[in-house]
Amino acid sequence: MKSLELLIERIILSSRWLLVAFYLGLVAALAVYALSFGLKFLKIAENVFVYTDAEMILAMLALIDAALVASLIVMVMISGYENFVSRFDEGEDSVSFLGKLDAGSLKIKVASSIVAISSIHLLQIFLNANQYSDSKLMWFTIIHLAFVVSAVMLGFLEKLMAKPKAPQDSSDI
């Protein structure tokens, strides 16, 4: 019976390597997104003397938004791989946050990135407010606020979970 238990444990522990397919998929998605970013940049460069100030600001916000999304993908790939699959070998390519992002802090960073991306998207919408009804503007704002509240709550819960427990008094036992 013990050998069956060991076999099951080995299979379960080895299954973490299936996550590599997801991380490699994210690498491919990042490459495709980089091509998309390049095309957006070329379009902006072609129209640099044609765009109005407002159009240029919107174009720059779109590039910033893309950079934040790409950074989010990299953060999830690296920290997810290190937390759930295998540790990276420390070398000269080592990233400063390796080994420092646990699942809780990763969730907070992801939530913060989503709030930043949502903020940029909302700013883009507000710069084109005349194209949206008041009702849509209200809903975009409510959705953004939901992201903000979620990120704050995740941070609060993480801080609450990280508090050291007080030592128990021996008389309580």
Side-chain angles (χ1 to χ4, degrees), residues 27-164:
V27 169
L30 186 61
V32 169
Y33 200 54
L35 288 173
S36 170
F37 179 87
L39 290 175
K40 285 179 190 175
F41 176 77
L42 287 175
K43 182 179 177 189
I44 292 168
E46 288 173 353
N47 294 300
V48 70
F49 299 112
V50 178
Y51 282 165
T52 65
D53 286 344
E55 289 171 327
M56 188 56 85
I57 290 170
L58 285 170
M60 291 300 117
L61 286 174
L63 293 179
I64 292 168
D65 189 34
L68 285 171
V69 170
S71 298
L72 179 62
I73 292 169
V74 169
M75 183 173 45
V76 168
M77 281 188 308
I78 291 174
S79 61
Y81 181 86
E82 183 161 273
N83 281 322
F84 302 113
V85 179
S86 178
R87 297 271 181 226
F88 284 100
D89 293 331
E90 301 250 350
E92 57 187 61
D93 287 355
S94 160
V95 182
S96 64
F97 67 83
L98 284 180
K100 297 177 185 167
L101 276 180
D102 60 359
S105 59
L106 177 62
K107 281 189 254 181
I108 292 170
K109 288 198 179 291
V110 167
S112 300
S113 296
I114 289 171
V115 168
I117 292 165
S118 175
S119 297
I120 290 170
H121 184 69
L122 192 60
L123 180 57
Q124 289 172 320
I125 289 169
F126 283 155
L127 289 173
N128 288 319
N130 57 345
Q131 297 178 8
Y132 298 95
S133 67
D134 289 344
S135 173
K136 279 196 172 195
L137 288 173
M138 178 192 68
W139 280 110
F140 286 132
T141 304
I142 288 172
I143 290 168
H144 173 70
L145 289 174
F147 288 142
V148 171
V149 169
S150 296
V152 169
M153 291 304 295
L154 273 173
F156 174 73
L157 289 173
E158 185 65 21
K159 188 174 182 177
L160 194 66
M161 298 296 285
K163 282 189 177 179

